[in-house]
Amino acid sequence: MRPFVYERPTSVSAAIAIASRPDTVHVPSTGAGTQFIAGGTNLADYMKLGVARPERLLDLNTLAEPALRQIRIDNDKIRFGALVRMGEAADNNDVRRRCPVLADSLKFAASGQLRNMASLGGNVLQRTRCEYFREISWPCNKREPGSGCAAMEGSNRQHAVLGTSDACIATYHGDFAQALVALDATVDVEGSRGRRTLTFSKLHRRPGETPDIETDLAADELITAIEVPLAQWSSRSRYLKIRDRESYAFALASAAVALDMDGETVRSARIALGGLATVPWRAREAEDTLQGKVLDEATAQEAAEAAFADARPREHNAFKIPLGKRTLVRALLETRDMKG
Amino acid sequence: MNQAAPAPRENQGDPVVRIDARLKVTGQAGYPADIVTANVAHGALATSSIARGKVSELHTKDARAVPGVLDIVTYGDLDKTDMPKFGNTGASSIGPLHDKTVFHDGQIIALVVAESFEAAEEAAMLIRADYEDERPSASFDSKGVKMEPAAGKSPMFKEDAKAGDFDAAWADATVKIDEKYSTPTQHHNPIELFSTTAMWQGDQLTIHEPSQNVTGWKVELARQLKLDQANVRIVSPYIGGAFGSKGPMTARTAIVAVAARRIGRPVRCVVNRMQAFGTQTYRAETRHRIRMGAGKDGRITAFGHEAWEVTSRPDPYVVGGTSATARMYNYGSVLTHVSLVHADRNTPGYMRSPPETPYVYALENAMDEMAVALGMDPVEFRRINEPEKEPIGGKPFSSRSLIKCYDQASEAFGWSKRDPTVGSMRDGDWLVGMGCATAIYPTAAAPCAARVRLTADGEVRVQCGSHEIGTGVRTIAGQMAAERLGVGMDKISVEMGDSALPPAPVSGGSISTASVCSAVMKACDAIREKLFAAAAGKGAPLAGSANAKLDLKDEEVVTETGKSAKLADVFKAMQVGAIEEYAEFAPKGSSPEALSKLYAGQSEFHGGENDEDSVKYAFGAEFVEVRINSYTREIRVPRIVGAFAAGRIMNTRTARSQLMGGMIWGIGQALHEATEIDQRHARYVNRDLQDYLVPVNADIKQVDVILVPEIDHQVNPAGVKGLGELGNVGTAAAVASAVYHATGKRIRDLPIRIDDLIG
Ligand SMILES: Cc1cc2nc3c(=O)[nH]c(=O)nc-3n(C[C@H](O)[C@H](O)[C@H](O)COP(=O)(O)OP(=O)(O)OC[C@H]3O[C@@H](n4cnc5c(N)ncnc54)[C@H](O)[C@@H]3O)c2cc1C
Ligand code: SF4
């Protein structure tokens, strides 16, 4: 591991002040010399592998603002501080009762140990696990822009079928983000140019021609909170995660579903798909097909077909298209059968 | 039934608790990389990023500039040492720093030594190589691989088994199966990482490294470093996961020793998980074609097994599991052929039941297909084809309890409740499938020495250079001594895992219990003789008793008629404080030089199919239930039942653990485990535990082990058949059979994943 400077700022503004030194701006946030670290479960891993090479780490765990560590539940929203641990949010009974998809997307992620360390802010910003990205001797456009993509013609069983580009097909592996993007969550961000609130779907960028730019954040911007609006659909919501083994594995395909039902009929549906796309993936075409329809196998199947109309397989991941469809069908039917 | 300590049945020993259990669970057991040494420097490997070619230039300037770097060992620095050899003790003939040729991905190109682990790792990452690279051949289908018949390429695999007229029988068969099967590359991923710690004191070298063969390594390392064997010591008291991975010594050991000598300090090199994929041995991928012909009555008349195995360019590593598959059933006629395919890969090596796991997988899958083709219950089909004698040499089995295993396992499993119609069993949205398969493992033993000392106060010390690889052999050797010398387990201490102890064979091939116990028993019996002679001698406490009628119990010499003499009194009569016996055991049929070869680090195996009088195998039957989601097709295994017969069971607790662990691994082999290879570059891709999947706790529900009583006096003096490698044989085929039963899809290539069942 390369030597680095380790600092422990005690307030958000102090952290931003250090992070906004001129050497750190105008590069993608993941490439900046100064990096924030929260649980470290993603960043420290990539530092050991030589993928992330920060010169300076700003430890967010010493920030004093209490709101960063709080979960606040009101009638119409849940607000998570960015430093809330995954485990804490997953195990919160009120979160589970009011919005099961949030709790389950966290509970089915990683392992107990990791959930105790990992923060929600770090979780949504976790970087891809593409094997070729993780090992620095391979060409990878995300790690070394312009070097090529080793996965494109290589081993790509776990890679994305949605939102890919000719430059990169890496999957966004996080689970929590699927629930957030489905539920129209927002993210509070603070940086040297002030505060802003982003809709969650704007946080991540598709790879396009610049897969090294993964988010909309500047290098000195900090996520302070994540807010999820609560509505009729929140309690009838579910996260279905399909993986190679029962626990401690990333999704091959997952679906975050929330339904607002009028009897058998869908008033509105919210759907996101995980393990299948390059970014947290809202399946709006699928949602549209369901509106005003009775939800059954046939309409669920129609929604699934719509969700994957633009899917593009590579050599080893074609199975993800039928799997993704069936995952969505199953998730829709299981969510329908929940008590609203 | 599902107890950690099953009640012993006939010919089964007590479930004595491991003597090192407390040390292990409290973290006090010292594994080789835990050894505290003053002034230790840390090593990190730099490895190649191509699989074939030459290193034209190595750039080490940046690495040397990292603060704390002490030395970089690379090309030229090993010139005064001898090249590694491929064989029993050596993993490969590739001497990575002797020659700039690159034979495989992840080959060692340098060892960096630094004051800290972090500095060493950082510097190793900064080493850059310029290569003259050539297009590598990754595996079976790659251009440029070299194929040759395997028979005769390895002393372990002399010829292709055959019997009768296969071609005629195949032509005549009424029902035929002709199918292809494959097993993937699998890598050892023990939680204890691979490591070497080397320390010199003058000319004396001590290596702390997890090893399954301390004596063999001592000899081999002395040869490479041109040292007197007496000056080399290998220490490996505890091992965190071996399964063959720590059997052969790799090139790293000598490199780390050279580094320690150069800097005049101890050097410890712990290999990171990614680099272990290229620097250690692994299970190579295999392919099989099975042709099986049978009559309408269910009798097999023709069995053909062709197989292909991958190995490295220079080394003919062969597993040749046809020697077991050809002897499994009453086939009528047999034709087998094994081919080796040389590719640009590191040399494979032993992994738990190296030949049987892949080969029996293919055979048992074919058996299941044939049972379906015949419309016959798969258990019944095996019963019909149960042989009187093994089909190749016509020798009897020393014992064979396969059908008993099937009966007891199927009863416990509830096989009779299975509806044989494919896809007929369901539980809500889950398809239910049930399947079964046979497990087999050859029973062998090898020469072994042991020293046992008994003192007047009843303390017993057992010394043997075998290895506690997690099987419980240290406990079992202690049990044997406790039983023969009539003392409690609290009086026993057992030393193992050190080349300074009496030599033992490699801990592989499930031979340890048989070999070690036979040697310990022999040493104990010599002590008994001395004690009995003294106790019954003139003027002694039991004067006049016949030696043969005496026994040792509760620290006393006892007679049949109930008279007894305290050990302490017998020692007094002898005027000695301790009796120490050194014994050498050699299995029946050993060559005259078998014992001297033991001291030269070579293990001469006897048993399996190679003995004159009989063939010797342990057997088992495994039954599996799978559940497959009807929408998303993920496969789960709610329960597995295995019944196994393996001669005398020394300790029902450790035996159960071995078999249970085997079945769990078998489930992993069926559903999870596989190394992915980038076919263009012949490089391993999923080199960590994130992507190299093994089952986690949540994947394993009910696992039942039944220990079927069996008595076999022919196998060895201890009457023990090895069972360490029995449990994971056949499991994957049982899972495949259950998946077929649930879905109607026959998956012939492992692992079985959603990819195969969806769509
Ligand atoms: C073995 C393993 C299995 C896993 N399995 C799963 C899984 O199944 N599902 C899943 O969803 N995840 C999984 N994960 C990923 C895990 O959830 C993430 O590593 C974790 O959530 C990251 O949080 P952290 O606080 O540790 O982030 P860190 O590693 O500290 O940071 C990650 C990134 O976010 C940045 N960052 C952190 N906090 C902030 C902030 N407040 N503002 C701006 N930037 C910030 C850091 O600079 C860094 O770039 C797994 C991880 C491992 C190691
Ligand atoms: S898929 Fe993306 S992350 Fe993976 S190698 Fe290609 S460019 Fe890199």
Side-chain angles (χ1 to χ4, degrees), chain A residues 128 130 132-133 139-142 148-151 159 167-170 211:
Chain A
T128 185
C130 167
Y132 297 99
F133 172 76
C140 167
N141 288 327
K142 193 184 270 303
C149 169
H159 287 73
C168 178
I169 54 172

Side-chain angles (χ1 to χ4, degrees), chain B residues 719-740:
Chain B
V720 163
K721 290 181 177 178
L723 50 71
E725 295 170 85
L726 181 60
N728 60 318
V729 180
T731 320
V735 173
S737 151
V739 167
Y740 172 78

Side-chain angles (χ1 to χ4, degrees), chain A residues 36 38-43 109-110 119 123 125-126 174-175 223 241 250:
Chain A
F36 303 121
T41 61
N42 192 241
L43 184 57
S119 68
N123 179 286
L125 295 177
Q126 65 179 281
D175 293 301
I223 296 179
K241 181 173 177 181
F250 292 97

Side-chain angles (χ1 to χ4, degrees), chain A:
Chain A
M1 197 190 277
R2 293 204 316 174
F4 54 86
V5 176
Y6 172 70
E7 290 193 57
R8 312 179 77 188
T10 54
S11 68
V12 170
S13 55
I16 292 167
I18 306 171
S20 54
R21 286 172 190 167
D23 62 312
T24 64
V25 288
H26 310 302
V27 285
S29 58
T30 46
T34 299
Q35 295 278 319
F36 303 121
I37 185 162
T41 61
N42 192 241
L43 184 57
D45 186 19
Y46 279 141
M47 286 171 67
K48 288 188 209 161
L49 295 172
V51 173
R53 302 175 76 79
E55 275 131 35
R56 185 181 298 268
L57 280 188
L58 302 182
D59 191 341
L60 302 182
N61 296 296
T62 47
L63 301 183
E65 288 84 349
L68 291 169
R69 294 179 186 75
Q70 288 167 355
I71 303 176
R72 275 187 29 213
I73 306 180
D74 300 335
N75 261 344
D76 60 346
K77 60 177 181 296
I78 305 181
R79 199 175 159 79
F80 298 101
L83 291 178
V84 169
R85 303 290 143 171
M86 286 170 75
E88 194 187 341
D91 297 341
N92 184 301
N93 283 336
D94 293 319
V95 172
R96 171 165 303 281
R97 190 170 49 78
R98 301 290 298 276
C99 195
V101 67
L102 285 175
D104 278 345
S105 67
L106 288 163
K107 194 173 164 206
F108 298 151
S111 68
Q113 295 89 333
L114 286 159
R115 293 195 294 272
N116 285 341
M117 280 301 285
S119 68
L120 297 184
N123 179 286
V124 298
L125 295 177
Q126 65 179 281
R127 305 187 71 190
T128 185
R129 326 289 294 193
C130 167
E131 298 95 330
Y132 297 99
F133 172 76
R134 280 172 72 75
E135 217 275 84
I136 56 174
S137 62
W138 292 103
C140 167
N141 288 327
K142 193 184 270 303
R143 183 167 29 73
E144 296 274 346
S147 62
C149 169
M152 203 67 76
E153 308 296 333
S155 292
N156 45 35
R157 174 175 186 259
Q158 57 122 315
H159 287 73
V161 293
L162 293 166
T164 57
S165 73
D166 291 340
C168 178
I169 54 172
T171 302
Y172 174 83
H173 291 283
D175 293 301
F176 184 46
Q178 311 304 341
L180 297 176
V181 80
L183 298 174
D184 292 318
T186 55
V187 190
D188 287 358
V189 171
E190 211 168 317
S192 58
R193 278 156 301 168
R195 293 181 190 177
R196 58 189 182 122
T197 299
L198 276 172
T199 60
F200 193 81
S201 57
K202 292 272 160 57
L203 180 61
H204 294 86
R205 290 202 194 164
R206 293 198 197 182
E209 280 165 23
T210 53
D212 55 317
I213 306 177
E214 296 175 357
T215 68
D216 195 50
L217 298 181
D220 66 354
E221 275 185 318
L222 201 60
I223 296 179
T224 54
I226 297 167
E227 196 170 289
V228 185
L230 293 175
Q232 303 85 309
W233 55 79
S234 313
S235 58
R236 193 191 286 265
S237 70
R238 187 169 179 82
Y239 191 68
L240 177 65
K241 181 173 177 181
I242 307 301
R243 38 188 162 171
D244 280 315
R245 64 183 172 197
E246 181 78 25
S247 171
Y248 201 28
F250 292 97
L252 293 169
S254 73
V257 171
L259 294 176
D260 177 13
M261 304 284 290
D262 178 6
E264 307 265 280
T265 307
V266 179
R267 229 181 258 129
S268 79
R270 274 160 180 68
I271 299 171
L273 297 170
L276 297 157
T278 52
V279 291
W281 193 261
R282 181 81 179 259
R284 291 198 188 268
E285 301 77 7
E287 295 174 3
D288 293 344
T289 66
L290 288 169
Q291 197 158 354
K293 299 241 178 78
V294 171
L295 180 51
D296 55 20
E297 289 254 9
T299 51
Q301 187 63 41
E302 239 170 77
E305 295 300 335
F308 288 87
D310 295 331
R312 281 178 31 190
R314 304 296 309 175
E315 188 183 350
H316 306 116
N317 65 358
F319 77 99
K320 282 191 168 188
I321 296 175
L323 176 64
K325 290 180 189 169
R326 300 233 199 141
T327 303
L328 179 52
V329 170
R330 183 176 155 194
L332 283 168
L333 298 177
E334 287 180 1
T335 311
R336 176 196 66 184
D337 296 341
M338 293 173 75
K339 280 198 202 90

